Amino acid sequence: MAFVVSAGRLQALEPASSSMSTWPGYNTMLSANRTLTYGAIYRSQPAVRTVVDFLARNIAQLGLHTYERLSDNDRRRLSDHPIANLFNRPNPQTTMFRLIRALVSDKAIYDDAYWVKLRSESNTPIGLRRVSPTRVEPLGADWMDAVQYRLHGAAGHLDVDAENIVHFRGYNPEDGRHGLSPIEALRQVLAEEYAAALWREQMWSNGARVSGYLHRPLEAPEWSNPARERFRAGWQAQYTGSGAQAGGTPILEDGMEFVSAGINPKEAQYVESRKLTREETAAAYHIAPPLVGILEHATFSNIREQHKALYQDTLGPWCAEIEQDIGLQLIPDLAAGRSVYVEFNIYEKLQGSFDEQADQLQAAVGGPYMTRNEARSRTNLPRVEGGDDLIVPLNVAIGEPEQPALPAGQPGSTTTGEEPDED
C-alpha cells in the first residue's frame, strides 16, 4: 500500500472498508465501576499531564540535526539534505517541534508512536504525519513483528505495509508488536488519586461541610412530627445549597449537639497525597522530583546537578531510542548507502551558561577565541567590515612551539661537548 500527497492531505490509493474500531483499546481500570482510556487519564490526572508534557516539551525543543559521518573522527552537518528538509517541514500543517512533541507524548502515554510516510509519485518519502496509537492495529502472523498496520477511521479502515510506517515501540514482555504503557504501573496510585478527587468534588458541591449527625439527649421532650419537619426544613435551608444562604451559626434545640463524623482535610492528608502521586508518576518516568515542582528538598546546587542528570540519564535514553528508530526505518529511504544519521542537539543543554563556556574555552586556547562578527551573530546583529579578524591583546604572546633538545655532538646541536672558553 502506497500513499500520495494531495493538497497536503493523506490520500490512500485504495478505498477504505466500512468497519470501524480502535486497537488495542488502551483502557485501564481506575475504580470498581470506572474504566478510562490512557488518553482520558492524561486529560484528567494532573500528575500524568505534568510529567508527560515535561518530557515532550524538553525533547522537542532540542532540535534534530542531520549529519554525515566522514570518518571515525570527522562528521559534516547536512542542512540541505532531504532528511533535514523533511524534519524542517514534516507536512504543510506540522512543524518539527509539534511532530517531536506528539511523538514523545504518544510514547510516554501509550509506549507506542506512529508516523505515516507520505510518498511522492516516485515513491520517495516527502512528508510525515502522526497517527494516534488508538487508531493503529499491528497485524502479523505471530507476536514478534508486525507486517502490516491497520489504520482505523470514521470511514473505515486501511491496511498499510510496514515499510510505510515508522513505529516507535517500547518493550512488551508478552507481545513484540506494540509497547506497554507506563500508566499500567501507576494503576493503583492513580486509582487512589481519582477516588480522593471524587470525594473532594462531592464535598465541595455539598457546601464544603464535614459530615456529621445531630445528637438529641434522652431527657429532651418528645418531638412531634410537625416540630421534627420544621427543624429539618430550617436546617436544610441554612446548611445545604450554595451562595449567601449557606453557612452561619447553627441554632439547636432541646440540648442537641452536632457530632462530626467525617475526615477533615488534615487527617486525609490531601496535600501529601497529591505530592505522593506526582512523585510516583515522576519515578515511573525516571524524572527527579524537583524538576516537576516538588521542591521540599531542593537547593540551588542539587537542582543544577539534577538538570545535568536530566539530559544525561532521563532524556538521553529517550533521544537515543528515537534517533536509532529514525535511522532504522526512515533514513534508508532517503540516504541509502551513505553514513547519514540524525542527532538531537543535546550538547547545548549540557554546556552550562555562556559565561561558563567562555571561561572554559578561553582557558583552553589561551586567549580570545571569537571574532567580532561571530559575537555579533549571537545577538542577531549584522556583520561589520573588518570584524572577521581575531583581536589578540598585546599581553598575550603567541610563541613558536619549543623544539626538543638534541644530544650533544649531533648535527644541529648547540652543544659540542667541549668545555667553553673562559674569557
Side-chain angles (χ1 to χ4, degrees):
M1 174 61 62
F3 290 93
V4 296
V5 176
S6 175
R9 297 184 179 275
L10 180 65
Q11 303 289 335
L13 295 183
E14 295 182 5
S17 67
S18 59
S19 63
M20 170 64 182
S21 62
T22 57
W23 169 266
Y26 296 113
N27 295 331
T28 188
M29 184 73 70
L30 280 185
S31 65
N33 58 354
R34 184 70 169 177
T35 301
L36 295 178
T37 64
Y38 295 147
I41 293 174
Y42 169 77
R43 291 193 301 268
S44 61
Q45 293 287 327
V48 176
R49 178 69 180 259
T50 299
V51 170
V52 171
D53 285 358
F54 177 84
L55 287 171
R57 293 167 64 246
N58 276 279
I59 294 178
Q61 59 92 34
L62 290 175
L64 196 61
H65 295 172
T66 305
Y67 298 95
E68 181 177 15
R69 190 174 301 281
L70 304 178
S71 67
D72 290 342
N73 300 319
D74 191 16
R75 67 177 184 175
R76 177 181 62 185
R77 183 177 175 185
L78 305 176
S79 300
D80 197 26
H81 189 272
I83 291 291
N85 296 333
L86 185 62
F87 284 113
N88 288 336
R89 193 169 187 252
N91 63 67
Q93 292 81 32
T94 306
T95 63
M96 181 174 68
F97 184 97
R98 290 176 56 196
L99 183 72
I100 300 300
R101 182 183 62 184
L103 161 65
V104 178
S105 298
D106 286 343
K107 191 74 169 53
I109 296 172
Y110 302 102
D111 208 23
D112 281 305
Y114 298 92
W115 290 346
V116 175
K117 302 175 186 178
L118 309 180
R119 297 185 181 273
S120 64
E121 296 289 354
S122 61
N123 205 32
T124 301
I126 60 172
L128 298 169
R129 185 173 292 278
R130 174 252 180 187
V131 180
S132 172
T134 60
R135 297 188 177 275
V136 182
E137 177 184 356
L139 303 176
D142 54 36
W143 50 268
M144 296 175 63
D145 293 298
V147 296
Q148 280 189 325
Y149 293 87
R150 178 163 293 173
L151 308 185
H152 296 273
H157 72 260
L158 183 69
D159 293 339
V160 182
D161 293 336
E163 64 181 11
N164 291 312
I165 295 287
V166 183
H167 183 188
F168 304 86
R169 65 178 180 269
Y171 170 72
N172 188 332
E174 298 171 348
D175 194 336
R177 295 173 299 175
H178 57 85
L180 182 63
S181 173
I183 294 178
E184 279 297 321
L186 299 168
R187 180 195 299 266
Q188 188 62 40
V189 174
L190 296 178
E192 293 175 359
E193 175 63 24
Y194 172 80
L198 185 62
W199 191 92
R200 287 193 297 271
E201 180 182 359
Q202 294 172 347
M203 183 188 71
W204 284 106
S205 65
N206 194 34
R209 283 174 292 279
V210 180
S211 301
Y213 61 90
L214 293 172
H215 171 71
R216 192 167 183 269
L218 293 175
E219 60 272 14
E222 184 177 355
W223 252 359
S224 63
N225 289 335
R228 183 183 295 107
E229 288 300 317
R230 176 185 54 80
F231 180 82
R232 183 183 62 81
W235 182 274
Q236 290 182 344
Q238 186 172 6
Y239 298 109
T240 62
S242 59
Q245 300 298 324
T249 303
I251 300 176
L252 303 179
E253 303 176 359
D254 303 328
M256 292 188 296
E257 296 179 359
F258 179 81
V259 181
S260 177
I263 301 176
N264 60 48
K266 182 177 180 180
E267 294 172 345
Q269 295 185 322
Y270 290 149
V271 176
E272 290 78 4
S273 173
R274 297 293 289 270
K275 290 179 181 178
L276 175 63
T277 301
R278 182 172 290 192
E279 286 181 357
E280 291 293 334
T281 305
Y285 289 91
H286 311 287
I287 299 175
L291 299 178
V292 290
I294 303 175
L295 305 175
E296 280 77 3
H297 305 289
T299 63
F300 177 79
S301 60
N302 67 19
I303 286 184
R304 190 174 181 179
E305 292 303 317
Q306 287 169 359
H307 183 266
K308 294 180 180 179
L310 167 69
Y311 290 95
Q312 294 173 339
D313 303 327
T314 300
L315 302 188
W318 278 82
C319 294
E321 182 179 10
I322 294 172
E323 293 164 359
Q324 293 179 19
D325 272 323
I326 292 174
L328 177 67
Q329 303 179 62
L330 183 60
I331 290 181
D333 292 342
L334 294 168
R338 297 178 61 183
S339 298
V340 175
Y341 63 97
V342 295
E343 186 177 277
F344 283 99
N345 191 21
I346 200 170
Y347 179 69
E348 286 190 1
K349 291 297 181 180
L350 298 176
Q351 288 181 332
S353 66
F354 177 75
D355 292 341
E356 294 172 338
Q357 297 176 41
D359 292 342
Q360 294 170 1
L361 291 174
Q362 188 162 344
V365 302
Y369 64 94
M370 292 179 66
T371 66
R372 284 175 291 168
N373 282 337
E374 289 173 337
R376 291 173 66 87
S377 68
R378 296 183 65 93
T379 55
N380 296 318
L381 293 175
R383 299 171 62 86
V384 296
E385 188 69 26
D388 292 327
D389 297 329
L390 186 64
I391 298 176
V392 180
L394 295 178
N395 62 345
V396 176
I398 303 177
E400 296 292 333
E402 183 179 354
Q403 299 294 331
L406 297 177
Q410 290 194 5
S413 173
T414 58
T415 306
T416 61
E418 300 178 356
E419 293 294 333
D421 294 336
E422 296 181 0
D423 294 337

